[in-house]
Each structure stands twice: as structure tokens, then as C-alpha cells.
């Protein structure tokens, strides 16, 4: 008897950080993983590593803010059981009084409209699969705020309420909606992007913090939530490092 073909998982923003780690974890969990991001070189490298390890993967260059490209991607996809909306990010630390609206627009475009584009485009395939999961990568910034976070916090609050809205709207269909809300995660790019490439400022975010979360810690929770039995919907999973008790309260060793 031939074994059943693997279920397909699409991961956006899979070229680095939480997205790449999630792609690895889902491949290890037996999914055929479609890696998407703008930077194909990095995707190809990850795909080669996973293929070498015996996993089933495909690569598709995708800018989630380009709706026509997203629609073409969806049309070319044979099937989809899991969508991990991971692409996103923060730009700048300016106050509401001084922020550049262009930065806020970019953050809304990527974190909210990008997620909307991919989710809308893949929902027919997800629903048709008969047993699907949509993961939305929000943030603890989607649940509470902090000074200088305004634009990012607004976008991630958007992701949070869209997860809740989508879960209501899809009720009765075989599609789970899971929101993962990480706090302080040390990745190579998140803080660097926020601080516009200033490596010292980016590194200072983690100064004295014994063990910030890693991308793999988050990926582990995504894979865990996705692989629960189909009738179990992990609505919202908040994870922080032990050293972080809230967005504000972070224990730093001297
Ligand atoms: C990242 C968490 O605290 O930098 O999503 O906003 S925080």
C-alpha cells in the first residue's frame, strides 16, 4: 500500500527567523512545505538543506503585499492544508507625535494586508481540503502597547482582531484559526529592521536578558498547535521568555 501524500503547509516570510524555523519544524512534522518570501536565494538555501534531510519542500518567490502575485501563487498551488501567515515586521521606534506615516503604512501593508491577501487567496483551497489550519503570527504587541511602538502595535492589534473575526466567520467550516503571539524573540533581523540597520541598538534590546526566545521556540509552538487533533483549536497562544513578565518588565542581569 502506498503511503498517503503529505499534507501541504504554506509559510510566508520563510527566508529567515520564525518563518524559516517554522518551515523546518513543519517539514520535520511530515508536511510538504511551500516556502515563500521575497528573497529566493535564502529560500533556495533552506530548501536545499531540508531536501537533503529527506523532507518535501517547494519554493515560491512571493511578496505578500502584491495581490496579483499572491493570486497567481494560489492558482498554481495544487492544495493547501495549513497556512502560516508569518511575514511581517516593525519599522522605527518613533512616538505617535513624530512617526513617519509612510512607515506605518508599510507596517500595515505587510502585517495586515499581506496576511489578508494570502488568507483570502488560499481560503478556497484550505476549505476544500476538508481539514485546514490558518496560523496568524501576531505578537504580544497585538495585546498591549508600549511607547515608541505605535505603528507596529496598531498593526499587530489588527492581526489579533482579524484572527478573532476570521474564527467567527469561518465557524462551521473545517478551518481552524490559530493566533500565536510571541514576546521577546531574538532573531537575526527583527530588531535590526526596527532600528533601520543599527546593529548596536538592535543588540541592546537583548542586553542582559539571559535567554530571549529563539525562532525555534516559536516554531515549536506553531508545530504543536498545528498538529493537535483537528477538533482542537488553540485560539491564542502567548509565549515569552521567562525573563519577560510583560512588554515592559524584562529581567536583565547586570
Ligand atoms: C515583537 C515583540 O515587544 O518587540 O513582536 O513588540 S515586541
Amino acid at each position: 500500500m502506498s503511503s498517503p501524500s503529505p499534507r501541504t503547509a504554506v509559510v510566508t516570510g520563510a527566508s529567515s527567523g520564525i518563518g524559516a524555523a517554522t518551515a523546518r519544524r513543519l517539514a520535520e512534522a511530515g508536511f510538504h512545505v511551500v516556502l515563500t518570501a521575497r528573497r529566493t536565494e535564502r529560500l533556495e538555501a533552506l530548501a536545499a538543506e531540508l531536501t537533503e534531510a529527506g523532507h518535501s519542500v517547494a519554493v515560491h518567490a512571493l511578496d505578500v503585499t502584491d495581490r496579483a502575485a499572491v493570486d497567481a501563487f494560489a492558482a498554481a498551488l495544487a492544495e493547501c492544508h495549513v497556512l502560516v501567515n508569518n511575514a511581517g515586521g516593525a519599522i522605527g521606534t518613533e512616538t505617535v507625535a513624530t512617526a513617519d506615516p509612510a512607515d506605518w503604512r508599510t507596517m500595515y501593508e505587510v502585517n495586515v494586508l499581506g496576511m489578508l491577501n494570502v488568507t483570502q487567496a488560499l481560503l478556497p483551497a484550505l476549505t476544500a481540503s476538508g481539514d485546514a489550519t490558518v496560523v496568524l503570527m501576531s505578537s504580544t504587541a497585538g495585546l498591549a502597547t508600549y511607547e515608541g511602538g505605535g505603528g507596529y502595535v496598531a498593526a499587530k492589534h489588527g492581526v489579533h482582531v482579524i484572527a478573532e473575526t476570521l474564527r467567527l466567520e469561518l465557524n462551521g467550516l473545517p478551518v481552524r484559526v490559530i493566533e500565536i503571539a510571541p514576546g521577546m524573540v531574538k532573531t537575526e533581523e527583527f530588531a535590526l529592521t526596527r532600528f533601520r540597520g543599527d546593529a548596536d541598538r538592535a543588540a541592546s534590546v537583548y542586553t542582559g536578558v539571559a535567554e530571549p526566545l529563539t525562532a525555534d521556540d516559536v516554531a515549536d509552538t506553531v508545530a504543536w498547535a498545528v498538529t493537535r487533533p483537528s477538533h482542537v483549536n488553540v485560539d491564542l497562544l502567548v509565549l515569552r521568555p521567562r525573563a519577560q513578565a510583560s512588554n515592559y518588565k524584562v529581567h536583565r542581569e547586570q
Side-chain angles (χ1 to χ4, degrees):
M1 232 175 69
S2 63
S3 53
S5 51
R7 289 155 52 83
T8 296
V10 171
V11 181
T12 68
S15 55
S16 69
I18 294 171
T22 298
R24 274 197 191 91
R25 284 275 181 173
L26 293 180
E28 285 161 9
F31 285 92
H32 167 65
V33 182
V34 182
L35 313 166
T36 74
R38 288 169 302 179
R39 296 171 297 184
T40 41
E41 264 176 36
R42 300 187 72 144
L43 289 182
E44 297 287 0
L46 177 57
E49 174 203 315
L50 293 173
T51 304
E52 176 75 14
H55 301 305
S56 172
V57 297
V59 162
H60 197 107
L62 190 64
D63 175 352
V64 295
T65 66
D66 180 343
R67 183 55 189 251
V70 169
D71 284 343
F73 165 67
L77 200 64
E79 54 180 12
C80 185
H81 301 85
V82 172
L83 164 62
V84 181
N85 282 296
N86 166 75
I91 305 168
T93 54
E94 291 77 14
T95 61
V96 173
T98 61
D100 183 343
D103 288 335
W104 285 44
R105 192 169 293 117
T106 301
M107 287 189 277
Y108 195 81
E109 284 273 352
V110 178
N111 290 283
V112 179
L113 298 181
M115 176 269 294
L116 178 69
N117 284 338
V118 183
T119 303
Q120 280 189 340
L122 292 185
L123 260 182
L126 287 159
T127 307
S129 79
D131 182 9
T133 304
V134 179
V135 176
L136 286 82
M137 192 61 64
S138 67
S139 167
T140 48
L143 307 171
T145 194
Y146 51 89
E147 298 96 322
Y152 180 67
V153 165
K156 286 301 190 183
H157 273 67
V159 175
H160 172 62
V161 295
I162 291 163
E164 294 193 333
T165 308
L166 189 61
R167 197 176 302 115
L168 292 171
E169 292 173 353
L170 297 183
N171 184 241
L173 295 177
V175 185
R176 299 184 294 190
V177 179
I178 296 175
E179 177 185 356
I180 306 287
M184 182 186 281
V185 186
K186 189 174 181 183
T187 62
E188 38 179 333
E189 289 184 332
F190 179 82
L192 202 58
T193 307
R194 164 168 273 173
F195 291 110
R196 306 179 197 280
D198 184 332
D200 290 341
R201 287 188 72 196
S204 72
V205 171
Y206 312 104
T207 301
V209 181
E211 284 180 287
L213 295 179
T214 65
D216 186 59
D217 292 327
V218 182
D220 183 33
T221 67
V222 175
W224 175 81
V226 165
T227 54
R228 292 313 85 209
S230 302
H231 67 287
V232 178
N233 197 118
V234 179
D235 283 11
L236 168 63
L237 197 158
V238 181
L239 68 157
R240 304 180 195 265
R242 187 174 58 192
Q244 184 183 34
S246 80
N247 291 9
Y248 268 103
K249 192 169 174 67
V250 179
H251 178 72
R252 295 181 194 271
E253 285 163 9
Q254 301 303 311

